Amino acid sequence: MTIRRAGEHALLVETGSLEAAHRLDALLRADRPEHVEEIVPGQETVLVVAPDADQGRLESRLAGLLASVTDAGAARDEAGAARDEAGAARDEAGAAAGVVEIPVVYDGDDLDSVAALTGLTVAEVIALHAGSEFVVGWLGFAPGFAYLIGLDPRLHVPRLDAPRTSVPPGSVAIAGPYSAVYPSASPGGWRLLGRTDVRVWDVSADPPAKLPPGTRVRFLP
Amino acid sequence: MIEIVSPGPYATVQDLGRPGYAHLGVPRSGAADAPSLRLANRLVGNPESAAGIELTFGGAVLRFGDNAWIALTGAPCPLDADRRPTGMCAPVWIPQGGTLRVGTPREGLRTYVAVRGGIGVEPVLGSRSTDSLSGLGPPPLRPGTVLPVGGAGPSAAIRVDSAVQGPFSSCPPVRIVLGPRADWFAPDAVAALRAGPYEVATEINRVGVRLRGAALERARGGEIPSEGMTLGAVQVPPDGRPIVFLADHPTTGGYPVIGVVTARDLPLVAQLRPGDRLWFRPVPGVRT
């Protein structure tokens, strides 16, 4: 766990895990340090951009928070081991309430190629994709494009050799260890499993992205 | 309103961008050479954050539907305002129906046109900037595009006759703060970066400036787990040729960043043309 300088105006906090990155992201958003312009979670990092901040003071503050998110994670794991049934039930109820459900019509152009690559039937591909709970790791590639973590390892397939020049918005796709919903029409090399009417990106909405980092997601066939 | 008779090679509306949405995958965008846009706005009494026009390699013709005070900054071009030659870095009066012709810059790449009142296109997520990476904001300007004027907020009196801006060197030293991933590179990579020079390749746009020169060798293979990227980051893809990120850079990426160009020097990089050169000068990070 380290805090690295990313130029004069930003610090890159290495959290060691996605979960700790999300906890740090949540803490910083709930109690935003002065002058912080951007908080950008990554797979094992949080980038904090603050051109007008005293970088030394910000670094001390981040070091304190980093210790708390990594300790809190450890403490929670220990507590989890000893957790009683009532606590577990409460957590499950809470989990169900916080999941964004995305209805999908599984008729994507790449269902057959994914089935061929994985040795599964199309029905099994759909069942595995719809049977997993995902969490939004981070966004990138395009506004609102969320990298969804939690794809069953049996569905890990490479990108297309030749990307499509245009993938329609709402396309539900997989590539490598990730799944995603295309937020807008764009070129794309991920394999298409289906489509949804859910708009994951809308500049007139607040917030404009339906799937910010840390959001849990399920696909409904 | 302003009618774009000709936009030149590439022109967009730019203000100071839309910071605050990087975690949702939204690039910052905004003027590639922000100090030049700020100066142009000050010259016509606008708030510095007002939207103007960013020209790439000059060559534009603009027709003004109303009386207007304008100012041009950045890459210096020959100017003809309503059939009178005029200068850069000064408030210029254009009568209703007048035409501004912008020639080819003598040096530098990007020229800014500010108009008193600002360019009044509809903001998207708080900014009027065209984001060339994501397509947010107004499309790049075309012949026939009509831009409304207004929306910049309260104007101040115009009090300055002309301003001075620095030369636009075709071989500037560029200060860089090493990290956050300098340790991903072989020990002599930093020496190679320092030894330079690096030449600007033909692949340049508002996302970044690709450089040619000594390849920066990695000490380790593979990709970095996807992490946030910052303005001015010098990202090094597997071929070892660095790319300097400008305003429309992607918000996250998996190639290591060997260093970040300082805020003072990034506008110099944004003004480089293909074939220009730069020398990286590593400096310690400044504690502000």
Side-chain angles (χ1 to χ4, degrees), chain A residues 104-115 122 125-126 129 160 164 167-168 170-174 190-196:
Chain A
V104 181
V105 178
Y106 281 98
D107 62 356
D109 287 346
D110 298 320
L111 276 173
D112 289 333
S113 81
V114 171
V122 166
V125 169
I126 295 169
H129 189 258
L160 299 171
R164 291 183 170 86
V167 174
S171 297
V172 176
I174 59 173
W190 292 29
R191 291 179 195 264
L192 309 184
L193 301 186
R195 58 198 155 85
T196 180

Short mmCIF file of all heavy atoms in Angstrom, two decimals, chain A residues 104-115 122 125-126 129 160 164 167-168 170-174 190-196:
data_model
loop_
_atom_site.label_atom_id
_atom_site.label_comp_id
_atom_site.label_asym_id
_atom_site.label_seq_id
_atom_site.Cartn_x
_atom_site.Cartn_y
_atom_site.Cartn_z
N VAL A 104 -32.44 -8.30 -19.89
CA VAL A 104 -31.67 -8.49 -21.12
C VAL A 104 -32.43 -9.41 -22.08
O VAL A 104 -32.98 -10.44 -21.66
CB VAL A 104 -30.29 -9.13 -20.83
CG1 VAL A 104 -29.49 -9.30 -22.12
CG2 VAL A 104 -29.51 -8.29 -19.84
N VAL A 105 -32.49 -9.03 -23.34
CA VAL A 105 -32.92 -9.96 -24.39
C VAL A 105 -31.64 -10.60 -24.92
O VAL A 105 -30.80 -9.93 -25.51
CB VAL A 105 -33.66 -9.21 -25.52
CG1 VAL A 105 -34.05 -10.19 -26.63
CG2 VAL A 105 -34.87 -8.48 -24.98
N TYR A 106 -31.48 -11.89 -24.64
CA TYR A 106 -30.24 -12.57 -25.03
C TYR A 106 -30.34 -13.05 -26.48
O TYR A 106 -30.69 -14.19 -26.76
CB TYR A 106 -29.95 -13.74 -24.09
CG TYR A 106 -29.34 -13.31 -22.77
CD1 TYR A 106 -30.14 -13.16 -21.63
CD2 TYR A 106 -27.99 -13.05 -22.65
CE1 TYR A 106 -29.60 -12.77 -20.42
CE2 TYR A 106 -27.42 -12.65 -21.44
CZ TYR A 106 -28.23 -12.51 -20.33
OH TYR A 106 -27.69 -12.11 -19.12
N ASP A 107 -30.05 -12.14 -27.41
CA ASP A 107 -30.08 -12.50 -28.83
C ASP A 107 -28.86 -11.92 -29.55
O ASP A 107 -28.91 -11.57 -30.72
CB ASP A 107 -31.38 -11.99 -29.49
CG ASP A 107 -31.50 -10.47 -29.44
OD1 ASP A 107 -30.61 -9.82 -28.83
OD2 ASP A 107 -32.45 -9.92 -30.01
N GLY A 108 -27.73 -11.80 -28.82
CA GLY A 108 -26.54 -11.15 -29.38
C GLY A 108 -25.90 -11.92 -30.51
O GLY A 108 -26.00 -13.16 -30.58
N ASP A 109 -25.22 -11.18 -31.38
CA ASP A 109 -24.60 -11.79 -32.56
C ASP A 109 -23.44 -12.73 -32.22
O ASP A 109 -23.01 -13.49 -33.07
CB ASP A 109 -24.07 -10.69 -33.50
CG ASP A 109 -25.20 -9.98 -34.22
OD1 ASP A 109 -26.33 -10.50 -34.20
OD2 ASP A 109 -24.94 -8.90 -34.79
N ASP A 110 -22.92 -12.62 -31.00
CA ASP A 110 -21.74 -13.43 -30.67
C ASP A 110 -22.05 -14.59 -29.72
O ASP A 110 -21.13 -15.25 -29.23
CB ASP A 110 -20.66 -12.55 -30.04
CG ASP A 110 -20.18 -11.47 -31.01
OD1 ASP A 110 -20.04 -11.78 -32.21
OD2 ASP A 110 -19.99 -10.33 -30.57
N LEU A 111 -23.35 -14.86 -29.47
CA LEU A 111 -23.68 -15.98 -28.57
C LEU A 111 -23.07 -17.28 -29.09
O LEU A 111 -22.50 -18.05 -28.31
CB LEU A 111 -25.21 -16.14 -28.49
CG LEU A 111 -25.93 -15.25 -27.48
CD1 LEU A 111 -27.44 -15.41 -27.65
CD2 LEU A 111 -25.51 -15.57 -26.05
N ASP A 112 -23.17 -17.51 -30.40
CA ASP A 112 -22.67 -18.78 -30.95
C ASP A 112 -21.14 -18.85 -30.82
O ASP A 112 -20.60 -19.89 -30.48
CB ASP A 112 -23.08 -18.92 -32.42
CG ASP A 112 -24.58 -19.16 -32.56
OD1 ASP A 112 -25.17 -19.73 -31.60
OD2 ASP A 112 -25.16 -18.79 -33.59
N SER A 113 -20.45 -17.74 -31.09
CA SER A 113 -18.98 -17.78 -31.02
C SER A 113 -18.54 -17.97 -29.56
O SER A 113 -17.56 -18.67 -29.29
CB SER A 113 -18.35 -16.54 -31.64
OG SER A 113 -18.37 -15.44 -30.75
N VAL A 114 -19.26 -17.36 -28.62
CA VAL A 114 -18.91 -17.56 -27.20
C VAL A 114 -19.14 -19.02 -26.81
O VAL A 114 -18.31 -19.63 -26.13
CB VAL A 114 -19.71 -16.60 -26.30
CG1 VAL A 114 -19.50 -16.95 -24.83
CG2 VAL A 114 -19.31 -15.15 -26.56
N ALA A 115 -20.25 -19.57 -27.27
CA ALA A 115 -20.53 -20.99 -26.98
C ALA A 115 -19.41 -21.87 -27.56
O ALA A 115 -18.89 -22.76 -26.89
CB ALA A 115 -21.89 -21.38 -27.55
N VAL A 122 -25.43 -22.44 -25.93
CA VAL A 122 -25.91 -21.06 -25.81
C VAL A 122 -26.73 -20.89 -24.53
O VAL A 122 -26.60 -19.90 -23.81
CB VAL A 122 -26.72 -20.67 -27.07
CG1 VAL A 122 -27.50 -19.39 -26.84
CG2 VAL A 122 -25.78 -20.51 -28.27
N VAL A 125 -24.42 -20.53 -21.64
CA VAL A 125 -23.77 -19.20 -21.65
C VAL A 125 -24.72 -18.19 -21.01
O VAL A 125 -24.33 -17.41 -20.12
CB VAL A 125 -23.41 -18.76 -23.08
CG1 VAL A 125 -22.99 -17.29 -23.12
CG2 VAL A 125 -22.29 -19.64 -23.65
N ILE A 126 -25.98 -18.19 -21.43
CA ILE A 126 -26.97 -17.25 -20.90
C ILE A 126 -27.18 -17.48 -19.41
O ILE A 126 -27.19 -16.53 -18.61
CB ILE A 126 -28.30 -17.38 -21.68
CG1 ILE A 126 -28.09 -16.95 -23.14
CG2 ILE A 126 -29.40 -16.55 -21.03
CD1 ILE A 126 -29.25 -17.29 -24.06
N HIS A 129 -24.22 -16.13 -17.41
CA HIS A 129 -24.16 -14.67 -17.38
C HIS A 129 -25.26 -14.10 -16.49
O HIS A 129 -25.02 -13.19 -15.69
CB HIS A 129 -24.27 -14.10 -18.80
CG HIS A 129 -24.01 -12.63 -18.89
ND1 HIS A 129 -25.02 -11.70 -19.01
CD2 HIS A 129 -22.85 -11.92 -18.86
CE1 HIS A 129 -24.49 -10.48 -19.06
NE2 HIS A 129 -23.18 -10.59 -18.97
N LEU A 160 -13.00 -9.70 -29.92
CA LEU A 160 -13.01 -10.00 -31.35
C LEU A 160 -11.68 -9.61 -31.96
O LEU A 160 -11.06 -8.63 -31.54
CB LEU A 160 -14.13 -9.22 -32.04
CG LEU A 160 -15.56 -9.50 -31.58
CD1 LEU A 160 -16.52 -8.48 -32.20
CD2 LEU A 160 -15.97 -10.92 -31.95
N ARG A 164 -15.96 -4.24 -34.09
CA ARG A 164 -17.04 -3.68 -34.91
C ARG A 164 -16.87 -2.16 -34.98
O ARG A 164 -16.44 -1.54 -34.00
CB ARG A 164 -18.40 -3.98 -34.28
CG ARG A 164 -18.77 -5.44 -34.32
CD ARG A 164 -20.17 -5.66 -33.75
NE ARG A 164 -20.63 -7.02 -34.00
CZ ARG A 164 -20.35 -8.06 -33.21
NH1 ARG A 164 -19.65 -7.88 -32.09
NH2 ARG A 164 -20.78 -9.27 -33.52
N VAL A 167 -21.20 -0.36 -32.33
CA VAL A 167 -22.00 -1.23 -31.47
C VAL A 167 -23.14 -0.37 -30.93
O VAL A 167 -22.90 0.73 -30.43
CB VAL A 167 -21.14 -1.78 -30.31
CG1 VAL A 167 -21.98 -2.57 -29.34
CG2 VAL A 167 -20.00 -2.62 -30.86
N PRO A 168 -24.39 -0.84 -31.04
CA PRO A 168 -25.50 0.01 -30.59
C PRO A 168 -25.53 0.17 -29.06
O PRO A 168 -25.10 -0.73 -28.34
CB PRO A 168 -26.76 -0.73 -31.07
CG PRO A 168 -26.32 -1.97 -31.73
CD PRO A 168 -24.84 -2.11 -31.62
N GLY A 170 -26.84 0.02 -25.33
CA GLY A 170 -27.66 -1.02 -24.70
C GLY A 170 -27.18 -2.42 -24.98
O GLY A 170 -27.73 -3.39 -24.44
N SER A 171 -26.14 -2.56 -25.82
CA SER A 171 -25.60 -3.90 -26.08
C SER A 171 -24.95 -4.43 -24.80
O SER A 171 -24.20 -3.72 -24.13
CB SER A 171 -24.56 -3.84 -27.19
OG SER A 171 -25.15 -3.42 -28.41
N VAL A 172 -25.25 -5.69 -24.48
CA VAL A 172 -24.68 -6.35 -23.31
C VAL A 172 -23.59 -7.29 -23.83
O VAL A 172 -23.86 -8.13 -24.70
CB VAL A 172 -25.75 -7.12 -22.53
CG1 VAL A 172 -25.13 -7.89 -21.38
CG2 VAL A 172 -26.82 -6.15 -22.02
N ALA A 173 -22.37 -7.12 -23.31
CA ALA A 173 -21.24 -7.78 -23.94
C ALA A 173 -20.26 -8.30 -22.89
O ALA A 173 -20.32 -7.91 -21.71
CB ALA A 173 -20.53 -6.80 -24.86
N ILE A 174 -19.37 -9.18 -23.33
CA ILE A 174 -18.30 -9.69 -22.46
C ILE A 174 -16.97 -9.66 -23.21
O ILE A 174 -16.93 -9.73 -24.43
CB ILE A 174 -18.58 -11.12 -21.94
CG1 ILE A 174 -18.73 -12.10 -23.11
CG2 ILE A 174 -19.81 -11.15 -21.05
CD1 ILE A 174 -18.83 -13.58 -22.66
N TRP A 190 -15.91 -6.07 -27.96
CA TRP A 190 -16.39 -7.07 -27.02
C TRP A 190 -17.44 -7.95 -27.70
O TRP A 190 -18.05 -7.56 -28.69
CB TRP A 190 -16.99 -6.38 -25.77
CG TRP A 190 -15.95 -5.69 -24.93
CD1 TRP A 190 -14.78 -5.13 -25.37
CD2 TRP A 190 -15.99 -5.47 -23.52
NE1 TRP A 190 -14.10 -4.58 -24.32
CE2 TRP A 190 -14.81 -4.77 -23.18
CE3 TRP A 190 -16.90 -5.80 -22.51
CZ2 TRP A 190 -14.52 -4.41 -21.86
CZ3 TRP A 190 -16.62 -5.42 -21.20
CH2 TRP A 190 -15.44 -4.74 -20.88
N ARG A 191 -17.65 -9.14 -27.14
CA ARG A 191 -18.58 -10.09 -27.76
C ARG A 191 -20.00 -9.85 -27.23
O ARG A 191 -20.23 -9.82 -26.03
CB ARG A 191 -18.12 -11.52 -27.50
CG ARG A 191 -16.83 -11.81 -28.26
CD ARG A 191 -16.31 -13.21 -28.02
NE ARG A 191 -14.93 -13.28 -28.49
CZ ARG A 191 -14.56 -13.74 -29.70
NH1 ARG A 191 -15.46 -14.19 -30.54
NH2 ARG A 191 -13.28 -13.75 -30.04
N LEU A 192 -20.94 -9.71 -28.17
CA LEU A 192 -22.30 -9.30 -27.82
C LEU A 192 -23.16 -10.50 -27.45
O LEU A 192 -23.31 -11.43 -28.25
CB LEU A 192 -22.93 -8.54 -29.00
CG LEU A 192 -22.10 -7.39 -29.58
CD1 LEU A 192 -22.89 -6.67 -30.68
CD2 LEU A 192 -21.68 -6.41 -28.49
N LEU A 193 -23.73 -10.45 -26.23
CA LEU A 193 -24.62 -11.52 -25.77
C LEU A 193 -26.08 -11.13 -25.95
O LEU A 193 -26.94 -11.99 -26.09
CB LEU A 193 -24.37 -11.84 -24.29
CG LEU A 193 -22.97 -12.29 -23.88
CD1 LEU A 193 -22.97 -12.70 -22.40
CD2 LEU A 193 -22.47 -13.43 -24.74
N GLY A 194 -26.38 -9.84 -25.86
CA GLY A 194 -27.78 -9.43 -25.92
C GLY A 194 -27.90 -7.93 -25.85
O GLY A 194 -26.93 -7.21 -26.12
N ARG A 195 -29.13 -7.48 -25.49
CA ARG A 195 -29.36 -6.02 -25.44
C ARG A 195 -30.38 -5.71 -24.35
O ARG A 195 -31.19 -6.57 -23.97
CB ARG A 195 -29.86 -5.51 -26.80
CG ARG A 195 -31.13 -6.19 -27.25
CD ARG A 195 -31.37 -6.03 -28.76
NE ARG A 195 -32.21 -7.12 -29.25
CZ ARG A 195 -33.55 -7.11 -29.20
NH1 ARG A 195 -34.21 -6.09 -28.71
NH2 ARG A 195 -34.24 -8.14 -29.64
N THR A 196 -30.32 -4.48 -23.87
CA THR A 196 -31.27 -4.04 -22.84
C THR A 196 -31.80 -2.67 -23.22
O THR A 196 -31.16 -1.91 -23.94
CB THR A 196 -30.58 -3.96 -21.45
OG1 THR A 196 -31.55 -3.52 -20.50
CG2 THR A 196 -29.42 -2.97 -21.45
#
